C-alpha cells in the first residue's frame, strides 16, 4: 500500500536548505546523501537548495530567507546536536531529532548507558583510555571484541580484535578519531538495521533489513562503495523476531527523545536469537546504498516521498508541546 501523503503542499514548505558536506570524516558520504535528497525534493516541487556549512556560515540561512532545513550531514558538526543548536538559535525548523537527542545518540557510550538503565538490550562494554585498558577489556569481554571511537559513524576507526596482540593498534586507531574509545562485546549472529519514522506515540518502525557482508565485514568501503554486500528486505527473519526488533527499536528511539526519523543497528545473537542494540543514527544515509530508503520502499514509500515526508516533519525543540502545526506556522 502506498504511503504517499497528498496533504503535503510542497510550496507551503517554503525555501529549503539541504545541509550537506560539512567538516566531519563522513563528508564524502554526506555529499552523496544531500545530492540525492536535493534532487528528490526538487522533483516534488520543493524550492530546495544545496548548503554546505564547510563553505558558508550558518547565519547565511537566515540572511537568505530559508524557511526550513533538511539535515543530510553525517557525523560531527552535523549529527551531534551542534548544528541543531545553531538552527534553534536561528529559529529555522530542521529535520530529525533535536539538540539533546542528537548529542546523546552521537555518543555511543552515553546511548548505551541510557538503554541499559531503561532495560533495553545492548552488548557489554568498557570505556578505555589506553592500550593497557584495552587489553584489560579484552580479558573481561572476551574474543572477538569491537574497538571503536565513541563518537564516530560509518565504522570509521573500528577494529574487530581477535587476539591480545591487536589491542594496542586497535586502541591507537580509534583514539585518532576520538579520545573516548569504546570496547564492546562482539555479538555473533545476524546483522540487521531498522529505521523509525515519526514522533512519540506516532513513531513507527519500517521493515527490518538483514545485512550480509562479505566475511561479515560491513565496513566503510562495503557500506558505500561496493555492491558485494547483500541487503534482504523483507528480512527473511521469523515474523516474531521482526516484530521484536521493531518493538525495541521504537522504544530505543523514544527513550532518547528522538523525533522525525532515525535508524538503529541490531545484532541477533546466533546462540539464542536475542537482539542487541548497537547504536542509533539520527541523520541516516540517503545514498544509493542507504538503508532507510530501502526499508521505506518495502513499505510503499518511494525515495522522493520519503524525503518530502521527513522534510514536512521539520521542527524545533522550542516548538515541542505547542502543537504539530508549529513548524508549518513558522515556515
Amino acid at each position: 500500500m502506498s504511503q504517499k501523503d497528498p496533504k503535503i503542499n510542497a510550496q507551503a514548505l517554503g525555501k529549503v536548505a539541504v545541509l550537506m558536506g560539512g567538516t566531519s570524516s563522513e563528508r564524502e558520504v554526506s555529499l552523496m546523501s544531500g545530492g540525492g535528497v536535493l534532487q528528490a525534493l526538487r522533483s516534488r516541487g520543493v524550492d530546495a537548495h544545496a548548503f554546505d556549512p564547510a563553505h558558508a556560515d550558518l547565519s547565511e540561512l537566515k540572511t537568505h530567507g530559508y524557511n526550513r532545513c533538511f539535515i543530510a550531514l553525517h557525523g560531527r558538526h552535523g549529527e551531534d546536536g551542534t548544528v541543531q543548536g545553531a538552527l534553534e538559535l536561528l529559529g529555522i525548523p530542521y529535520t530529525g531529532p533535536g539538540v539533546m537527542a542528537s548529542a546523546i545518540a552521537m555518543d555511543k557510550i552515553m546511548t548505551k548507558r541510557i538503554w541499559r538503565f531503561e532495560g533495553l538490550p545492548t552488548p557489554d562494554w568498557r570505556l578505555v583510555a589506553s592500550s593497557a585498558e584495552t587489553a584489560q577489556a579484552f580479558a573481561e569481554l572476551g574474543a572477538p571484541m569491537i574497538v571503536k571511537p565513541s563518537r564516530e559513524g560509518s565504522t570509521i576507526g573500528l577494529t574487530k580484535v581477535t587476539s591480545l596482540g591487536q589491542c594496542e593498534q586497535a586502541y591507537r586507531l580509534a583514539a585518532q578519531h576520538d579520545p573516548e574509545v569504546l570496547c564492546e562485546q562482539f555479538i555473533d549472529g545476524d546483522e540487521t538495521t531498522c529505521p523509525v519514522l515519526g514522533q512519540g506515540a506516532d513513531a513507527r518502525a519500517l521493515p527490518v533489513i538483514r545485512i550480509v557482508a562479505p566475511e561479515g565485514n560491513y565496513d566503510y568501503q562495503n557500506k558505500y562503495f561496493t555492491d558485494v554486500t547483500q541487503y534482504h528486505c523483507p528480512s527473511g527473519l521469523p515474523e516474531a523476531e521482526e516484530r521484536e526488533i521493531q518493538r525495541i527499536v521504537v522504544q530505543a528511539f523514544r527513550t532518547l527523545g528522538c523525533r522525525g526519523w532515525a535508524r538503529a543497528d541490531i545484532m541477533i545473537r546466533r546462540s539464542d536469537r536475542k537482539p542487541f542494540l548497537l547504536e542509533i543514527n539520527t541523520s541516516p544515509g540517503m545514498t544509493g546504498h542507504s538503508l532507510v530508503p530501502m526499508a521505506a520502499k518495502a513499505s510503499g514509500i518511494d525515495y522522493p516521498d520519503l524525503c518530502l515526508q521527513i522534510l514536512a516533519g521539520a521542527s524545533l525543540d522550542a516548538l515541542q508541546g505547542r502543537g504539530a502545526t508549529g513548524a508549518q506556522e513558522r515556515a
Side-chain angles (χ1 to χ4, degrees):
M1 183 179 70
S2 174
Q3 298 289 326
K4 290 183 180 180
D5 189 345
K7 297 189 294 295
I8 298 176
N9 183 335
Q11 285 70 40
L13 298 174
K15 187 177 180 181
V16 174
V18 179
L19 305 188
M20 64 177 86
T23 58
S24 82
S25 58
E26 297 179 73
R27 174 179 172 81
E28 186 178 5
V29 176
S30 173
L31 288 170
M32 292 192 292
S33 288
V37 170
L38 181 65
Q39 184 178 356
L41 292 176
R42 286 177 172 173
S43 78
R44 288 295 186 265
V46 177
D47 181 20
H49 306 263
F51 191 98
D52 188 344
H55 298 147
D57 194 278
L58 287 172
S59 63
E60 293 182 24
L61 291 167
K62 197 76 170 177
T63 306
H64 295 301
Y66 285 100
N67 300 106
R68 64 182 65 209
C69 293
F70 192 115
I71 298 177
L73 297 164
H74 305 315
R76 291 182 184 167
H77 303 147
E79 199 171 353
D80 61 358
T82 53
V83 163
Q84 289 77 6
L87 295 174
E88 291 284 338
L89 293 173
L90 292 170
I92 302 174
Y94 54 90
T95 56
V99 178
M100 182 190 71
S102 297
I104 291 173
M106 187 67 192
D107 189 318
K108 297 179 183 68
I109 292 168
M110 289 304 298
T111 297
K112 288 168 76 70
R113 285 171 175 161
I114 292 170
W115 283 344
R116 180 64 63 87
F117 179 82
E118 293 289 335
L120 288 166
T122 188
D124 287 339
W125 77 94
R126 301 288 186 274
L127 170 62
V128 299
S130 68
S131 54
E133 290 184 6
T134 304
Q136 179 61 34
F138 183 76
E140 294 171 2
L141 296 174
M145 177 179 79
I146 300 297
V147 179
K148 57 188 175 182
S150 178
R151 293 165 290 199
E152 278 290 353
S154 293
T155 64
I156 290 169
L158 180 148
T159 305
K160 181 179 177 182
V161 173
T162 56
S163 67
L164 189 62
Q166 294 175 284
C167 288
E168 182 174 358
Q169 185 177 356
Y171 172 77
R172 290 183 185 278
L173 176 63
Q176 287 175 11
H177 299 277
D178 193 335
E180 288 201 353
V181 173
L182 170 66
C183 294
E184 184 177 63
Q185 181 184 50
F186 176 75
I187 303 298
D188 177 44
D190 288 332
E191 186 165 3
T192 66
T193 194
C194 183
V196 180
L197 298 179
Q199 179 175 351
D202 294 327
R204 71 185 193 281
L206 292 178
V208 174
I209 298 172
R210 184 167 55 90
I211 302 163
V212 182
E215 299 178 1
N217 188 23
Y218 191 45
D219 59 10
Y220 186 81
Q221 189 68 21
N222 285 332
K223 277 187 177 183
Y224 302 110
F225 301 106
T226 71
D227 293 311
V228 293
T229 300
Q230 297 174 29
Y231 303 101
H232 298 276
C233 187
S235 66
L237 297 170
E239 187 179 346
E241 286 188 12
E242 173 123 0
R243 283 201 308 268
E244 176 62 7
I245 289 170
Q246 291 176 315
R247 183 190 70 79
I248 65 170
V249 164
V250 169
Q251 192 177 344
F253 180 89
R254 291 172 177 159
T255 294
L256 297 185
C258 293
R259 67 168 186 262
W261 69 317
R263 197 199 77 236
D265 297 332
I266 310 99
M267 292 296 298
I268 306 172
R269 189 162 59 192
R270 194 180 313 278
S271 60
D272 58 3
R273 307 303 295 172
K274 179 179 178 179
F276 288 85
L277 289 155
L278 300 182
E279 61 182 272
I280 191 164
N281 301 282
T282 55
S283 181
M286 291 291 281
T287 73
H289 284 73
S290 292
L291 305 179
V292 177
M294 185 183 301
K297 184 178 180 180
S299 67
I301 310 172
D302 68 16
Y303 186 99
D305 286 327
L306 172 65
C307 294
L308 193 63
Q309 183 176 322
I310 293 167
L311 178 64
S315 188
L316 290 163
D317 285 345
L319 295 176
Q320 297 305 300
R322 287 171 47 188
T325 59
Q328 188 67 37
E329 290 167 1
R330 189 58 88 81

